[in-house]
Amino acid sequence: MTYRKFKADYLFTGEETAEPDSVLITTPEGIVQDIVPAAVAGSDVVYYPGWLAPGFINCHCHLELSHMRGVLPEGTGLVDFLASVMRRRKPDERKPGARPREGGAGGPAEGGASGPAGGTGMAPDVHAEMIGRAAAAAEEEMLAGGIVACGDICNTADTLPVKAAGRMHYHNFIETMGFVEAGAPARMAASKVVFDAFETVFPGRNSIVAHAPYSVSPALFKLIADHGAEYGAHHGAAQLLTIHNQETEAENEFYLTGKGDFLRLYEALGLDVSFFKGTGKRSLESILPFFHQDQRLILVHNVATTAEDLADMGSPKLPSLYFCLCPNANLYISGRLPDLDLLQRSGIPLVLGTDSLASNHQLDLLAEMKTLQQHFPQLETATLLKWATAGGAKALGIETTVGRFAKGMRPGVVSVSHLDGERLMKDSRARRLL
Ligand SMILES: [Zn+2]
């Protein structure tokens, strides 16, 4: 067999930077054989300037929103951003069957709008075709930029045909929402239809998850956690869940007092939430008790997460947590980034996501790393690469197949070039070699 031999200025294994002059050896298909010193690697070693790393793991995306690239204005803040997204996801334009939710099952408003589709005036078939085309192009973009696996939020089964081609590993997070308690069983039933559609094609790689603390009622949280536990028991593993967490301070205010900027969102959606008086606690503390301790929960965004939220994180009753950062989406929506020092000090593992093309200019994990290093210059490239590779793989529960250059694994090989020493620059680029 002719092996492939890769050498770079810096070889990142997924966990750490290998010794200088190390050579990665794979089969022609990319199955890792070894990492050896150049002196014993023999001939035919190919040198790539910059970093070499395993394929990247995107822990948070919404592939089905890819057709919204460049549509929504930047810097509006979360409430206006959400109102815009929901206005563009009108259920009356949805194709029955392909989009299983009906009757306004969608936004946090019970009678409100959110199923995808959107003020395009197109017939449902044309709209579905456009979503499919945009999702395929977005997937292609992710693959070219070195992403090999993706945790993808799904409100519909629109992306199923693209994913069924099997070019990338997906964990599908079927997202549900509904802030009025009485609507919880109907919301869950609607999400179960989407879940079953994915489960038929990708058994064991799907979860029903909560959208966000401000859009899910206690009754629905319980149904979600219990569905996860039941499914986890069936598959012999802890269930993988995720939620948008503390994307804005208004979320904490809403939980503490029942008031604040989110009331504008409910008003725009025609939903009366006057029954909710707040819990007197911040949002994260309010919702964590709904989850089971053997569950894994990826908290996405964490822009308004503070030391107060992290005080009791050592409790064994909590699910195991991951913080997922999507900095470019944060800058797009609100111009604010999370308190990275605080999150790092918490000891909770960090991972990376791109969020969707509705709130990002590209689905490029390296672009997320560049933004983080630019705003937090103390961050070393190796730390970012770890979050993007082995860290993300562990969060998605696929660490035995991707994320590391470990013998027998086929994690993909990515070259990161155009650097300043080992540091990323504005025009640094990631390219999938294998
Ligand atoms: Zn998101």
Side-chain angles (χ1 to χ4, degrees), residues 322-325 340 343-344 346 348-352 386-387 391-392:
Y322 290 81
F323 284 130
C324 178
L325 309 177
L340 190 74
L343 298 183
Q344 278 192 282
S346 74
I348 294 169
L350 274 80
V351 299
L352 302 178
K386 185 173 179 178
W387 297 347

Side-chain angles (χ1 to χ4, degrees), residues 26-273:
T26 77
T27 67
E29 299 78 33
I31 299 169
V32 174
Q33 300 300 296
D34 210 349
I35 292 176
V36 300
V40 299
S43 56
D44 303 325
V45 175
V46 181
Y47 165 76
Y48 296 88
W51 287 91
L52 279 181
F56 298 154
I57 318 295
N58 181 2
C59 286
H60 184 75
C61 187
H62 305 241
L63 201 60
E64 70 187 19
L65 296 182
S66 298
H67 63 293
M68 289 170 74
R69 187 198 290 251
V71 168
L72 302 177
E74 294 184 52
T76 61
L78 184 63
V79 166
D80 291 293
F81 175 82
L82 288 171
S84 300
V85 173
M86 287 168 184
R87 265 199 304 278
R88 287 165 193 281
R89 303 183 75 162
K90 291 180 190 162
D92 55 353
E93 292 189 30
R94 304 173 63 179
K95 182 183 172 186
R99 316 238 179 85
R101 283 193 192 162
E102 341 178 298
E110 297 320 277
S114 152
T120 58
M122 292 180 191
D125 282 344
V126 178
H127 199 272
E129 202 184 299
M130 183 187 71
I131 289 177
R133 260 203 318 274
E139 183 189 70
E140 182 61 42
E141 182 182 329
M142 283 201 276
L143 287 165
I147 294 171
V148 299
C150 178
D152 192 49
I153 304 282
C154 312
N155 290 90
T156 70
D158 288 345
T159 55
L160 201 42
V162 173
K163 291 170 179 171
R167 304 178 72 209
M168 185 174 313
H169 176 100
Y170 288 96
H171 188 95
N172 302 294
F173 295 115
I174 315 306
E175 184 177 78
T176 189
M177 56 184 103
F179 199 68
V180 175
E181 295 264 324
R187 293 308 182 98
M188 195 63 189
S191 294
K192 188 75 171 40
V193 175
V194 182
F195 176 85
D196 288 343
F198 278 99
E199 191 67 9
T200 307
V201 183
F202 304 111
R205 283 160 50 181
N206 314 289
S207 319
I208 295 180
V209 302
H211 166 251
Y214 55 81
S215 60
V216 172
S217 66
L220 191 50
F221 265 119
K222 281 183 197 130
L223 289 174
I224 291 165
D226 290 348
H227 178 269
E230 195 182 307
Y231 182 73
H234 186 254
H235 287 270
Q239 169 75 335
L240 170 59
L241 302 173
T242 190
I243 187 168
H244 295 90
N245 176 57
Q246 296 175 308
E247 195 167 348
T248 169
E249 183 51 32
E251 180 179 307
N252 290 317
E253 188 184 356
F254 184 62
Y255 261 80
L256 282 161
T257 66
K259 296 194 168 62
D261 204 25
F262 271 108
L263 293 186
R264 280 199 305 120
L265 178 65
Y266 298 116
E267 202 178 292
L269 296 169
L271 179 67
D272 179 6
V273 296

